Amino acid sequence: MHKIDSDGATDENEFTDGDPASGIVATAVWAKWLNTVQRELLAILTAGGVTPDDADDGQVLQALRALWPLRCKIIEIGAWNMDQYSNKWVDHGLPDHTKIREVVVMIQADNGELLPGLRQGDGCYIHRITETAIYINKTDGYFNGSFVDDPAINRGWLTLFYEEA
């Protein structure tokens, strides 16, 4: 993409409204720059299989959603003494739990250390997904100990990948 470099552009190639009292001219908008932006946007539509329509202001979003159909939501697990309790319910807040395609767990130790990207078999796994909540379970072993027993901290996050309902 081409950053604006016409008369009145800042040294960082940004737009300015100018200031006539200080002798600063407003940025001139050249066809070269507008055509570049138009080509970039049309490339998104083409890649997403969307036919340009000057009556539809939602085409770029439609094309982006076609290119990346899964949405992402990050949810705090909340307080959880993993040393004492082997499971935790976490509300997901989605209208249709059957659209969830993947859940990734990131556990936070008491000292703030992050244990990212845990999936089934990594010591912490998703036991069940219901209409309202996700049931996380931990296996015995790694997550038994004083480094995950502070009940006052957020224990980590769930990253949900889901299709829009």
Side-chain angles (χ1 to χ4, degrees), residues 49-124:
V50 176
T51 302
D53 176 359
D54 64 1
D56 183 357
D57 291 339
Q59 296 171 94
V60 172
L61 181 59
Q62 180 184 348
L64 291 172
R65 286 185 171 164
L67 292 168
W68 295 282
L70 291 182
R71 306 290 171 262
C72 177
K73 180 177 184 179
I74 299 173
I75 305 169
E76 284 192 2
I77 292 172
W80 179 17
N81 178 342
M82 292 179 80
D83 190 39
Q84 186 174 0
Y85 302 102
S86 64
N87 52 58
K88 170 84 173 164
W89 282 100
V90 180
D91 290 339
H92 55 67
L94 295 176
D96 185 353
H97 72 290
T98 66
K99 301 290 186 178
I100 296 173
R101 297 296 172 251
E102 183 176 7
V103 180
V104 179
V105 181
M106 179 181 288
I107 296 297
Q108 178 174 239
D110 294 350
N111 66 2
E113 179 184 355
L114 299 177
L115 309 163
L118 302 176
R119 290 180 169 82
Q120 197 78 7
D122 288 335
C124 189

Side-chain angles (χ1 to χ4, degrees), residues 18-32:
D19 182 2
S22 301
I24 299 171
V25 298
T27 306
V29 180
W30 291 349
K32 170 181 135 181

Side-chain angles (χ1 to χ4, degrees), residues 16-57:
T16 178
D17 292 328
D19 182 2
S22 301
I24 299 171
V25 298
T27 306
V29 180
W30 291 349
K32 170 181 135 181
W33 185 85
L34 290 171
N35 287 329
T36 298
V37 171
Q38 179 175 259
R39 283 190 300 270
E40 294 275 350
L41 291 170
L42 286 169
I44 294 170
L45 296 186
T46 299
V50 176
T51 302
D53 176 359
D54 64 1
D56 183 357
D57 291 339

Side-chain angles (χ1 to χ4, degrees), residues 118-157:
L118 302 176
R119 290 180 169 82
Q120 197 78 7
D122 288 335
C124 189
Y125 63 94
I126 304 306
H127 179 70
R128 185 172 33 171
I129 300 173
T130 70
E131 290 180 5
T132 59
I134 297 172
Y135 186 63
I136 312 169
N137 209 353
K138 71 159 182 101
T139 57
D140 285 332
Y142 185 71
F143 289 113
N144 291 347
S146 61
F147 76 106
V148 289
D149 67 353
D150 184 346
I153 69 163
N154 172 43
R155 186 52 60 206
W157 299 265

